[in-house]
Amino acid sequence: MEDPPSSELSRLAKLRVVEEYQAHQLERTRAVIRELEAEQERLREREKKQCMQVSWKPQPSCADGGVALLHRANCGLYTQEMGYLNAQEAQIAPAEAGIEPCQVCRPQD
C-alpha cells in the first residue's frame, strides 16, 4: 500500500476546513436573522404609530358620577395602552352621557 503524497490534506484537515466554513456560514445566517428581526420590529412599531393616529381611547372617570374623557390614542395626558376605539366608536362615544372629549388633544376634530 502506498502512502498518500505529503502535499495532500488529511481527512481530518479537510474536515476542519469544512467546519470553519460552516461556522462562518452559520454566523452570517445568524446576522441576517438578527437584521430581519430588527426590521420586523421597526415595521411593527411603524404600524403601531400609524394605528394610533386613527384611534381613540376612553379614560374612565375616577369618581362615581364623574366624567370620562375621550382622547386620541397618542394623547400624552392619558397614557394607558388599552381599550382603543375605531373612528365609528369614537364618533358615538361623545353622545353617551358622562363622556366628554379631551380639551388638549381634541379628538372630535
Side-chain angles (χ1 to χ4, degrees):
M1 192 161 194
E2 293 179 26
D3 288 335
S6 60
S7 64
E8 207 174 287
L9 289 176
S10 71
R11 183 165 184 241
L12 178 60
K14 288 178 184 178
L15 287 173
R16 289 190 193 272
V17 169
V18 170
E19 177 188 37
E20 186 176 325
Y21 176 74
Q22 288 176 335
H24 172 73
Q25 287 296 100
L26 180 59
E27 184 51 42
R28 286 183 56 194
T29 301
R30 287 178 175 160
V32 170
I33 288 171
R34 285 189 298 271
E35 289 173 17
L36 291 174
E37 288 173 340
E39 179 63 24
Q40 279 184 338
E41 184 60 30
R42 285 189 295 272
L43 285 173
R44 271 194 294 275
E45 287 296 319
R46 189 177 315 135
E47 288 171 357
K48 181 180 175 184
K49 286 180 183 179
Q50 288 172 347
C51 181
M52 289 182 75
Q53 295 298 321
V54 294
S55 296
W56 293 262
K57 58 187 173 184
Q59 177 182 4
S61 67
C62 295
D64 287 339
V67 175
L69 293 177
L70 182 65
H71 298 273
R72 291 187 183 275
N74 58 358
C75 181
L77 293 182
Y78 184 61
T79 58
Q80 289 289 344
E81 291 195 25
M82 57 185 234
Y84 291 111
L85 305 176
N86 62 32
Q88 183 180 7
E89 294 166 332
Q91 288 175 347
I92 295 169
E96 297 291 322
I99 300 178
E100 295 180 3
C102 172
Q103 296 303 309
V104 175
C105 66
R106 305 184 53 80
Q108 71 276 19
D109 294 340

